[in-house]
Amino acid sequence: MEIDMATAIREISHYLAGGAQAPASRFSDVFDPNNGEVQARVGLGTPADLDKAVALAQAAQPAWAATNPQRRARVMFRFKELIEANMEELAHMLSAEHGKVIADSKGDIQRGLEVIEFACGIPHVLKGELTQGAGPGIDVYSMRQALGIVAGITPFNFPGMIPMWMFGMAIAVGNAFILKPSERDPSVPIRLAELMTEAGLPDGILQVVQGDKEMVDAILDHPEIKAVSFVGSSDIAHYVYQRGVAAGKRVQAMGGAKNHGIVMPDADMDQVVNDLCGAAFGSAGERCMALPVVVPVGQDTADRLREMLIPAIQALRVGISTDKEAHYGPVVTAAHKAKVENYIQMGVDEGAELVIDGRGFNLQGHEKGFFVGPTLFDKVTTTMRTYQEEIFGPVLQIVRAKDFEEALALPSQHQYGNGVAIFTRNGHAAREFAQRVNVGMVGINVPIPVPVAYHSFGGWKRSGFGDHNQYGMEGLRFWTKVKTVTQRWPDGGGTGESAFIIPTMS
Ligand code: NAD
């Protein structure tokens, strides 16, 4: 990072092997969402910059892949320690560009770190399979080998966690990784790369290129990049998937979400209200695993829930990201604030009942910050655009269902299928729901069911394109290819005859 003395605005650039430079001619502003000011600008890279990164990766990757897995794991161990030692600095850096409160930024980094912890076990999980004696003198074994040079394209809302989901596994198995983070909060990804270098990762194995669509397209088209992992909104995820696959790459592309929370009449209502407040409004609703739709089952449940939600939502404290008492901070940009407020107006126009209106929220001393107050809609229906589309803001919508079957159908039929939760004390209903719902990640009395690092993360329908989930054994599968060896060591007495039929075990 350098200070541009002419404008006195911090300039954020790529992180290339050996400190290689690639000055930009196009820039994108990075805001401080707490006060609306431009705090830095990020240089948007070109295909030529990517070529430079790929060449540097090519020079480094074979030796990294040939490094024994225990040594690769040691880099991950040291990186884990460095993250822990730098947690405060990283969390403040993250909050300053994203706007989420500090404690939440620590959670963002911690959830990524848990994937690094899983990657520390790479010597064990990368072991292959062996069949001894598959035929006379014949053994068969399979191994997983790194793909070579791979890339990740990440969204603004988890600038710590999602890069670590990807590069933790990709690098541990022996790839060189090129990260293209969101241009809205690019500083934490750069810092993570610096810490990986400090942990002993050879130059060129983790590089960061900055950019927008031009850089994304260059990554998708580059013949030397073998796999691309993408996380972002669904239309772009679909585009990335199609273009990457057309270029012959392995692509996983995670998209947007509209997660539902089903509230059965027997649920613990106090707990439900607490869980909903955190899951709908935490991080200003800017989470793909937020819970922006609540589905109470039955009239009584709906009325009781609404009555309890109103004071709980009114008691939420919105503040700047360093306010220790704040439940959530500003949204990421003025454009995003306008988008969320437009959706609130759309909800009104569509005929939903606006119970609490978060528009026009003014935080004293931070009047230009990108704040949106907590918003509650009731009587939302499935034909409304505000129900069908992702708002990605602090807006909770009540959609009333008459019974379990109707509640089950709502998330199952929605275009998105990332996460869903059911709140109940009835084990049979919970089990039935988990089995039948057409959604990738299910919580039972768990509002944000992001799987732990040794399981894996992935949504269904328009929430995920391509094969393999993020991290865990799924991550290992995505970032490697399988090679299978069939070997015969005869005892010396060969038949000397040719075989013209396909070898079989008969
Ligand atoms: P986004 O789709 O705008 O951006 C994601 C990435 O794509 C960024 O790196 C961006 O630079 C790039 N990009 C933007 N426009 C592009 C274009 N036209 N062509 C090619 N690339 C482009 O997403 P965002 O606003 O940064 O993040 C929020 C979205 O991400 C939400 O929809 C959220 O649900 C989703 N998300 C999904 C998951 C998941 O795992 N399913 C996790 C986090 C966020």
Side-chain angles (χ1 to χ4, degrees):
M1 275 173 232
E2 292 165 10
I3 304 287
D4 177 340
M5 295 313 285
T7 58
I9 281 204
R10 187 165 53 98
E11 200 160 291
I12 301 165
S13 186
H14 311 304
Y15 183 82
L16 301 178
Q21 302 291 314
S25 56
R26 287 193 307 127
F27 295 88
S28 178
D29 288 337
V30 178
F31 293 93
D32 174 351
N34 293 301
N35 58 29
E37 282 164 13
V38 175
Q39 58 166 310
R41 60 178 197 165
V42 57
L44 302 174
T46 63
D49 300 350
L50 181 68
D51 285 342
K52 193 178 275 188
V54 169
L56 293 164
Q58 269 175 321
Q61 193 268 334
W64 177 245
T67 301
N68 79 52
Q70 206 156 358
R71 284 179 195 270
R72 293 203 302 262
R74 282 184 193 142
V75 173
M76 294 297 168
F77 275 113
R78 283 195 290 271
F79 179 61
K80 168 184 155 56
E81 287 169 359
L82 285 170
I83 293 279
E84 284 164 350
N86 289 277
M87 182 62 94
E88 283 297 327
E89 176 215 336
L90 283 163
H92 278 82
M93 188 184 274
L94 198 158
S95 289
E97 291 182 357
H98 178 286
K100 63 176 85 174
V101 295
I102 299 290
D104 199 26
S105 289
K106 288 182 182 169
D108 181 330
I109 295 158
Q110 179 61 31
R111 285 309 294 250
L113 190 53
E114 289 167 11
V115 173
I116 301 300
E117 288 168 348
F118 182 82
C120 288
I122 207 69
H124 178 67
V125 296
L126 201 51
K127 284 188 298 197
E129 296 177 328
L130 167 72
T131 301
Q132 217 171 14
I138 295 179
D139 303 324
V140 180
Y141 64 93
S142 56
M143 62 184 110
R144 291 194 163 270
Q145 294 189 328
L147 301 174
I149 301 171
V150 297
I153 300 161
T154 52
F156 83 85
N157 69 323
F158 280 100
M161 176 181 82
I162 294 178
M164 282 192 269
W165 280 4
M166 296 178 181
F167 76 65
M169 294 305 295
I171 288 176
V173 301
N175 295 296
F177 190 90
I178 296 175
L179 172 66
K180 205 301 285 175
S182 170
E183 57 276 45
R184 286 182 258 177
D185 46 13
S187 291
V188 165
I190 293 274
R191 188 73 189 114
L192 294 177
E194 288 170 356
L195 291 175
M196 280 290 269
T197 302
E198 204 178 321
L201 189 74
D203 273 2
I205 301 302
L206 175 57
Q207 300 177 96
V208 183
V209 293
Q210 309 291 357
D212 55 9
K213 178 172 166 41
E214 187 181 355
M215 181 57 87
V216 170
D217 286 349
I219 290 171
L220 295 171
D221 295 344
H222 203 294
E224 293 305 325
I225 295 178
K226 303 301 177 196
V228 174
S229 178
F230 172 92
V231 177
S233 51
S234 287
D235 286 347
I236 298 172
H238 192 218
Y239 164 79
V240 163
Y241 178 71
Q242 287 182 314
R243 188 160 175 158
V245 167
K249 295 183 201 324
R250 184 178 291 188
V251 183
Q252 56 174 198
M254 277 64 191
K258 189 87 176 187
N259 304 331
H260 295 51
I262 311 303
V263 182
M264 297 297 285
D266 64 354
D268 175 343
M269 278 300 188
D270 291 321
Q271 190 59 48
V272 167
V273 169
N274 284 337
D275 285 350
L276 281 175
C277 284
F281 301 107
S283 197
E286 294 170 318
R287 290 182 185 141
C288 69
M289 289 296 273
L291 211 52
V293 175
V294 59
V295 184
V297 174
Q299 186 74 30
D300 288 352
T301 316
D303 293 343
R304 207 149 42 99
L305 181 68
R306 172 183 163 137
E307 197 178 306
M308 290 172 73
L309 269 174
I310 292 171
I313 293 172
Q314 283 167 337
L316 291 177
R317 180 178 166 108
V318 184
I320 57 170
S321 47
T322 48
D323 176 352
K324 287 197 173 74
E325 305 297 317
H327 295 108
Y328 73 87
V331 299
V332 68
T333 56
H336 192 60
K337 175 180 155 113
K339 180 178 156 189
V340 173
E341 293 194 338
N342 285 342
Y343 267 119
I344 297 173
Q345 183 57 45
M346 189 191 298
V348 173
D349 296 343
E350 288 178 318
E353 183 191 348
L354 183 58
V355 183
I356 300 173
D357 186 356
R359 288 172 297 177
F361 184 91
N362 217 347
L363 189 68
Q364 212 182 354
H366 296 271
E367 287 76 9
K368 295 208 171 119
F370 309 140
F371 296 94
V372 182
T375 297
L376 179 67
F377 276 107
D378 194 1
K379 318 260 171 65
V380 174
T381 65
T382 55
T383 55
M384 295 178 182
R385 257 187 72 188
T386 47
Y387 169 74
Q388 292 158 358
E389 297 176 8
E390 180 182 45
I391 298 175
F392 221 55
V395 180
L396 179 60
Q397 296 169 295
I398 301 176
V399 182
R400 294 166 176 241
K402 68 175 184 310
D403 56 22
F404 175 82
E405 288 299 327
E406 194 176 305
L408 172 70
L410 287 167
S412 297
Q413 289 170 5
H414 201 280
Q415 62 163 332
Y416 294 117
N418 214 37
V420 70
I422 183 167
F423 300 93
T424 181
R425 290 185 170 100
N426 181 329
H428 176 73
R431 185 171 183 277
E432 185 79 0
F433 183 82
Q435 292 289 326
R436 289 172 58 198
V437 71
N438 186 18
V439 170
M441 291 173 282
V442 182
I444 296 172
N445 298 315
V446 171
I448 305 183
V450 176
V452 291
Y454 39 97
H455 283 258
S456 70
F457 184 106
W460 290 1
K461 298 178 280 182
R462 279 181 58 76
S463 296
F465 303 92
D467 280 328
H468 295 306
N469 283 356
Q470 296 279 350
Y471 63 78
M473 292 306 284
E474 281 284 275
L476 182 99
R477 291 181 195 111
F478 182 76
W479 297 116
T480 56
K481 58 194 171 193
V482 178
K483 182 179 279 178
T484 308
V485 179
T486 302
Q487 63 175 6
R488 181 169 64 143
W489 296 107
D491 61 6
T495 63
E497 290 174 13
S498 302
F500 294 96
I501 61 164
I502 182 92
T504 68
M505 281 296 137
S506 57

